[in-house]
Structures are given as C-alpha cells and as structure tokens.
Amino acid sequence: MSTVPLDQVLEAISGGETADSQESPTLDFKIIGRSIKDTLTDLAEAAACFANSHGGSLVVGVQDRVRGDDAFLGSTLEAIQTVSRIYELTDPGLIVTVNSLEFRGVNLTVISVPQSPDIHQVRGRATERVGTSCEPMSASRIAQVQLDRRGDDWSSKDSGNGVDAVSPVAMEVARDLLKQSQDPERRSWSELLWPDLCRRLGVLTPAGQLTNGGAMLFIDDGRIHVQYTRRVPRPGLLAANDHISGSGVWVIRRVLELIEGRIERTAIVTPSGAQLLIGDLPESAVREAIVNAFMHRDYRSSDPIRVEHGSSRLRITSPGGFVPGVTVDNVLTVSSRSRNGSLAHAIRGLGLGESAGVGVDRMYSAMTAVGHEPPGFTTDGRSVEITLQGGAPNEPLTRFVASLPEDRRDDPDTLLVLTFLLQHRTTTARKMASLVQKNEAEVEAVLLHLSAPGQALVERTADTARSRRGEYRLVGEALRSLGSAVTYRARSGDDTDRKIVEMVREVGKITGRMVQTMFDVQPATASRILSDLVDRRILDKTSKATRGPSVTYGPGKSFPKSRRSNRSSPAPDEAEVSARAELDLDAP
C-alpha cells in the first residue's frame, strides 16, 4: 500500500480533490458526528479495523465529498478523552496515539493506530481494513491472522501422512530437480532413499510423518490447484483456460512449462560477442514470481493460485495477504519472512527458489536489466497480486547491463538508478528513496558508491559537487554506451546540439550566459547542457576559469566537421543575435 505524506494529502484536498479519493488502506477521514459519544464509538470501530490489518491513521475534521478548503470542518476532540474511550470500547483494549494538527487555520485530530498482535472487537464484532473499507472477519479468518502474527508455521506441523502417501510422479520430479543442481552436495541427494531425502529437505517429523509442507509438495490429493489463463492479443479472447492440479512440485513445474513455452524471445549480441536470448517476460523473474506464490501463500485457504498470462504481461494472485511486517512499500528491502518457513526451506532445497531474501531482488533485477518496469505488488489483505509487465527488451540497455561487473549486473539498487536516469537527466536520493525502498541516507550512500572513481556510472552535477546531498547524472561514457536508450537526449538533444555547434563554428566559442539567452533557461540548466557536451567531447573548456560566467568553451575532439553547402545559411533568430551580443560582453 503506497503511503503519501499526510501534508501532501491535505494539500491535494485543499487543491480540489475530495477526501474520499485520497483515502487508502492506511488512511481514513472522519468528522464529528451528532455527539462526541457517537463519534468516539465510530472512531473506536475504525481504529480496531486498522489495528486488525496493517495499522493506519484516522484524521478527524475533514468531510469526504467536499472539494477545497470547505472540506476542513475541524475537530474539538480532546486527546486524553479520545485515547481513554477507544481503549474502553475495544476488546482487548487498544492503545492509540492522538495528536492535534493545524491546517489552513483549522484544528484537526490525527489518531495513529499501530498494527496489533491481537484481534480487537467493538461490541462483539471484529473487522479489518480491506482497500478503503472495513470488512467483517469470520472466526476462521481471525484464527488465520492470529497464527500469522504469532509466527506459527503451519507448514512444519505433522500432516498425518506417511512417506508411503507420496506420489511417484512427485518423487521423480524432485529427483530430476536435484540432478540439475549446480551444487554437488544437492546433486548427491537425488540418490538418497526417499525418507532420507525428506529429512534433508526438512519435511519429515521426528516420528517419520510428512509435515504439512511435505504433503503439499509431494502428495497428489487435489488440494494444490492453479487456474491458468492465457490471453491472446485480441481483446477478450482466450487461448487457454486450464485448471492444473496435482502435487506441489509437479504443479509448479507444469505452470512454468506453460508460461515459458509461450514466451517470445529476442536475440541480442553483447559487446563481448556472446548472444543472449531475452524473453518478453524474463524467465528468472517468471520463475521467482511463480515459486513465491507457492512458497508464501496461505494454505489454510482453499482458493486456487490464479495465473493470467497476456502477450507481454503476467499477473499472479496468491491467497493470503503479506505476513506481518511486509508491505508493498518494503517488499524489496524487508528481511525475509514467510508464513511457511518449513515449506520455503524445502522449496529452496530442491533448487526451485532463491535463497532467503533474494527472490524479490531477482525479480527486480531481471525486469529492470532489460528495460521493463519493476514488479508490481498489490494486496487487499486477503491475497497478494504480482504483476510483471514485459515486452521487447530495450536492446541498448540490455547490452550495456551485460557489460557491467557481475555485482552490479544483478544489483536492484544499481539497475533502478540506471533505468530512472534513462528518462530523467538527473536524480537525487530523495527522488529515488521510494523506488529503491530505502531511506534518503541509504540511497545517498548507494549513489556515492555508483559515483566512486574507477567504474563510476553516475557523477554529481557541478552545482552540487560540494553539497552534503548531491544531484546525480550518468557519466559521459555511460551516456555514449547507452545511446538511444537515453530518451531525453533523443527528444531534445539534437536541436540543442545543432544550435550550439553552429554558434561555436561561427564565433569560435560559447559561454553559459549565451546558452541561457539562446534557450531561455536558468544558469543550472545551461551548465548541465554544456557539461553534457563536454562529456561527449563535442566541446572543451578553453578558459582558465573553471566556474562562473567567464568560462568559455570551444570545439572538442568530437566536434562535427563543417559541411559544405551551396545553400545560404539561415538568418539567425533573435535569441542567437542576443547570444552573440552576450559573447561581446564576455570578451576580454
């Protein structure tokens, strides 16, 4: 669930948005009702609803469907009374934090509700926040949530099945997977007797019975099923609608076969001469997304995993929300957590999934390394949806990434910064923080690392060279290697370059002040334009001064040669005339 700072939300409402359009799974707006007593009961119910899901904030004093400043009615609630009454009305008692906030001269009350390890009821009823509404919780749902919050691993419990219940097909699939392992020790497991192999995978209890995780993987009893839908490019037309059921290992392999058999691939030759076959949906991202759905789903629900496969998009919906502590805003960086720890261990032992905490990283790096959007995660609290939006790979970017050192080639931080800078001239730690899912200090450290001498991908702009927090851009060598993958150069660089080259060719030099006049830009923008031309060796500095308006630039090693033409040169426009006048001002 994406979190927008409250001050930005209030500004949006003041600017014409309605409060209900700004609500989210963690934010709700309320007003004072007919009486303080009724209002506090309503707030207790809303607070319990938040506490039973992911926590959130209640803002009292804002109307839902009124636009602009008229939406702010204000609140007269007293903090101590509000905290006390919410505690009294909830069972077990819920402790919240209440603060006053002034906005546009109106006093609002902000009630901050933490996620609770308990399930809270008001008047004998429990609800949880689903989207922007509060939905009733059944007894079974309450039991599931409580088990998750206590860290109870259902998959490690005794299933009541012995090893004789294992499907022969599942045994064969498991041994085949182990034979393909790059790890010699795991390859040797394929020769073990079945009970010994189950012990190595951690799916056998001390009494010799299969755990629930082992039963899910190896017993074909109809409990594991996937609804696979394949959609062709023509809207609304289905190419496949398969219901796949069997043992867990067989179903995982079958779903991967169906998807991978329908992926289109593009051949790309890397700078080293190697040929890569890149799928419109990267296979490693697909594999991790499917395996994660099996690994982390809630097996206490009978709902199937749903896989929707479009021409260049894959959407996977898995029963069960995120485990406590995991949200869409930290799924990339949060420490590895699973409601099925024993099952996850066995799946990794078979080589189906990455080691703990690496699977989501792999999805991010696989998608961004070929120019696709990062994976999209959404949840309504009862299921998790992963969307991979693919398509033809960005060939210049793919070749460039393939040439990077291995530690950068697979690093999500590096690739997220790189792909952001394909469409934006510069970035900062503040701009990247939500995308990289780290705080600004951590992102600044990432950017500094990427700008370190030797193999720098980015550099600070001249304006922020000595600042505590920098503004960063791609280094010249990276810009040249990425070529057409850099979209802003393709949009505006050609005309800018041409005018500056013509000016230098005519008068022999150019200054930042002339660029400001020619293109009506601020000094910092003029500096960036000239720095970019210097990086690309079209221009060189020709003065001893290194900063300020007196710095002059002349032709560099890659300055375009003059083309002879019988046509007369076009008359200079007003901006160019003014720029020439600026040159006279700068002349000694």
Side-chain angles (χ1 to χ4, degrees), residues 280-529:
D280 55 8
L281 287 165
E283 292 181 17
S284 58
V286 169
R287 185 183 185 89
E288 289 304 322
I290 292 293
V291 171
N292 265 268
F294 277 88
M295 192 184 294
H296 301 302
R297 66 154 291 170
D298 189 343
Y299 282 97
R300 294 161 297 193
S301 167
S302 60
D303 292 341
I305 293 173
R306 301 186 186 279
V307 178
E308 299 173 57
H309 185 190
S311 57
S312 58
R313 184 180 71 177
L314 190 70
R315 179 180 294 153
I316 304 159
T317 306
S318 176
F322 285 122
V323 297
V326 180
T327 71
V328 296
D329 296 318
N330 68 11
V331 65
L332 175 60
T333 53
V334 71
S335 58
S336 180
R337 304 178 188 189
S338 174
R339 63 167 49 88
N340 305 307
S342 176
L343 175 63
H345 175 77
I347 286 176
R348 295 181 184 117
L350 290 167
L352 281 168
E354 287 289 337
S355 59
V358 179
V360 174
D361 287 37
R362 178 59 57 86
M363 277 188 268
Y364 268 76
S365 59
M367 293 295 288
T368 53
V370 294
H372 300 327
E373 291 294 317
F377 290 83
T378 60
T379 181
D380 60 5
R382 302 188 180 191
S383 64
V384 173
E385 183 178 284
I386 304 175
T387 301
L388 304 180
Q389 186 66 54
N394 182 321
E395 295 192 27
L397 173 64
T398 304
R399 283 193 289 268
F400 180 78
V401 171
S403 69
L404 294 175
E406 188 173 352
D407 61 332
R408 288 188 170 178
R409 197 185 311 155
D410 298 323
D411 175 46
D413 291 349
T414 299
L415 296 172
L416 287 168
V417 170
L418 176 61
T419 53
F420 183 89
L421 287 172
L422 295 181
Q423 299 181 38
H424 306 83
R425 288 184 181 273
T426 63
T427 193
T428 62
R430 188 171 191 176
K431 291 179 182 177
M432 295 301 304
S434 61
L435 189 60
V436 178
Q437 297 185 6
K438 294 181 177 179
N439 63 46
E440 289 185 34
E442 291 176 303
V443 180
E444 186 71 30
V446 169
L447 292 167
L448 284 171
H449 176 68
L450 293 177
S451 64
Q455 294 181 324
L457 282 180
V458 300
E459 63 184 358
R460 285 193 173 202
T461 62
D463 298 341
T464 63
R466 294 179 176 83
S467 302
R468 188 169 63 90
R469 296 289 171 90
E471 186 175 22
Y472 296 82
R473 64 186 177 192
L474 290 169
V475 298
E477 184 178 348
L479 279 169
R480 287 189 290 275
S481 299
L482 287 162
S484 60
V486 182
T487 58
Y488 50 80
R489 179 187 293 178
R491 284 199 305 270
S492 60
D494 292 346
D495 189 54
T496 301
D497 291 0
R498 179 185 60 78
K499 287 187 176 182
I500 290 176
V501 165
E502 287 176 358
M503 180 66 72
V504 174
R505 184 175 286 140
E506 182 174 347
V507 300
K509 60 182 178 179
I510 197 167
T511 68
R513 192 180 301 172
M514 292 172 65
V515 174
Q516 293 174 51
T517 304
M518 289 173 68
F519 301 107
D520 189 24
V521 296
Q522 296 297 313
T525 302
S527 175
R528 292 190 193 106
I529 292 172

Side-chain angles (χ1 to χ4, degrees), residues 548-588:
S550 61
V551 177
T552 59
Y553 300 82
K557 291 183 180 180
S558 299
F559 190 82
K561 294 181 180 179
S562 176
R563 297 178 181 177
R564 293 182 179 180
S565 174
N566 293 327
R567 299 178 183 177
S568 59
S569 299
D573 59 26
E574 184 178 344
E576 291 177 10
V577 172
S578 298
R580 292 190 182 100
E582 293 289 351
L583 181 64
D584 292 336
L585 292 175
D586 290 332

Side-chain angles (χ1 to χ4, degrees), residues 127-170:
T127 63
E128 63 180 329
R129 187 81 167 177
V130 179
T132 57
S133 62
C134 289
E135 300 293 338
M137 300 179 73
S138 65
S140 61
R141 174 63 180 161
I142 291 173
Q144 290 176 9
V145 173
Q146 288 176 326
L147 287 173
D148 283 346
R149 293 187 183 176
R150 287 202 299 262
D152 188 76
D153 183 2
W154 172 87
S155 70
S156 67
K157 301 296 189 294
D158 191 333
S159 70
N161 294 285
V163 292
D164 56 340
V166 170
S167 159
V169 173

Side-chain angles (χ1 to χ4, degrees), residues 174-192 197 200-201 348-351:
R175 293 190 188 281
D176 284 346
L177 288 169
L178 291 168
K179 288 175 183 177
Q180 297 166 21
S181 174
Q182 300 297 314
D183 181 357
E185 182 182 353
R186 286 186 181 171
R187 284 201 303 272
S188 70
W189 292 2
S190 66
E191 305 297 328
L192 294 173
L197 175 55
R200 291 294 177 92
L201 294 173
R348 295 181 184 117
L350 290 167

